[in-house]
């Protein structure tokens, strides 16, 4: 019975993800302001999943990383970035019910120049999904992904680029209220003989790049998450104490972003009503990061001028089969 209840919850979260995708496919066009796009994705998500604080809602902030930025970018308040017709954008968002997170992403491009890049990464992710299974060694999944990804190339402005796996980005196991559950699924052969086990949830995600295939942290940070094993540290700063209290009740150990802190509901109407907006919180946030209570996740970038694509699905290793929860008609 418990298992049936779990399956019901994750399938409902996955169905919400599919329906949000179906809606936003129609609005993502060149010229859309990224902040507006994120707002539509997140409001539709809240509505469909019937947002109720930590019980159910958004899994993490909407990633809309463009071109050489691979992941962990969402607009901060005041960021007016607009999607261009030659941009390659990764759309990565999550739904959660009882802390069970569906993590799923795809890449948007309007320029046929990048078709091969997108095809390579979609093919690589589908290969990872096929290879994943009970008792499978993580390095074997990575090896299969790498082989497929690196069989592609893409020609941009008359120059041909091999498509490289971003070797320091990984898929991951997912635990309740913990997006990165402790096991990393490589996208290259890395010798990790750890095995996948029955009952585990995994996000199989791959990133292909025309750059060096290695990302570093860069640009202004927008994503934050309370450390799952956060230490108890005495906080001297009143603003840090206030913010930590807000994070604990609104997000727990789920990721959040600055845009949400500045909403009237502070990120959850169910928890805070219209009285949740955080004012003058940056010093408190910095203090929480310095104390190791909250971790900052700045954008992850390859070299400027390069292009990165991403595809991702969440799956569950059931005793008798593998269920690709986030699979839809779109990808």
């Amino acid at each position: 019975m418990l298992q049936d209840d779990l399956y019901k919850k994750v399938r409902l979260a996955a169905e919400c993800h599919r329906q949000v995708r179906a809606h936003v496919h129609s609005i993502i066009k060149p010229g859309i302001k990224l902040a507006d796009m994120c707002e539509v994705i997140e409001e539709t998500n809240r509505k469909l999943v019937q947002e109720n604080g930590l019980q159910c809602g958004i899994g993490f902030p909407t990633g809309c990383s463009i071109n050489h930025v691979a992941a962990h970018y969402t607009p901060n308040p005041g960021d007016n970035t607009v999607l261009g017709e030659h941009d390659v954008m990764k759309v990565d968002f999550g739904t959660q019910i009882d802390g069970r997170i569906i993590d799923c992403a795809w890449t948007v491009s309007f320029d046929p120049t990048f078709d091969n890049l997108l095809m390579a990464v979609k093919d690589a992710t589908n290969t990872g999904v096929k290879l994943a299974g009970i008792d499978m060694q993580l390095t074997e999944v990575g090896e299969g992904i790498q082989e497929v990804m690196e069989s592609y190339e893409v020609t941009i402005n008359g120059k041909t680029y091999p498509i490289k796996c971003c070797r320091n980005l990984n898929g991951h196991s997912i635990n309740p209220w913990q997006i990165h559950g402790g096991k990393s699924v490589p996208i290259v052969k890395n010798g990790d003989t750890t095995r996948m086990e029955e009952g585990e949830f995994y996000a199989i995600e791959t990133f292909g790049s025309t750059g060096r295939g290695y990302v570093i942290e860069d640009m202004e940070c927008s994503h934050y998450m309370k450390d799952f094993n956060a230490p108890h540290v005495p906080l001297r700063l009143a603003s840090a104490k206030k913010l930590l209290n807000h994070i604990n009740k609104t997000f727990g150990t789920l990721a959040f972003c600055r845009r949400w802190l500045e909403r009237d509901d502070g990120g959850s109407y169910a928890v805070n009503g219209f009285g949740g907006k955080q004012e003058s919180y940056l010093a408190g946030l910095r203090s929480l990061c310095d104390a190791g209570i909250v971790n900052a996740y700045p954008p992850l970038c390859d070299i400027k001028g390069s292009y990165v694509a991403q595809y991702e699905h969440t799956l569950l290793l059931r005793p008798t089969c593998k269920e690709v929860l986030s699979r839809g008609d779109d990808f």
Side-chain angles (χ1 to χ4, degrees), residues 272-306:
N272 305 307
F274 286 126
K277 184 173 181 176
Q278 299 300 293
E279 311 270 5
S280 308
Y281 61 84
L282 283 174
L285 184 56
R286 199 174 305 116
S287 173
L288 293 176
C289 291
D290 289 345
I293 297 168
V294 168
N295 294 318
Y297 294 90
L300 298 168
C301 305
D302 203 326
I303 49 173
K304 279 188 178 150
S306 66

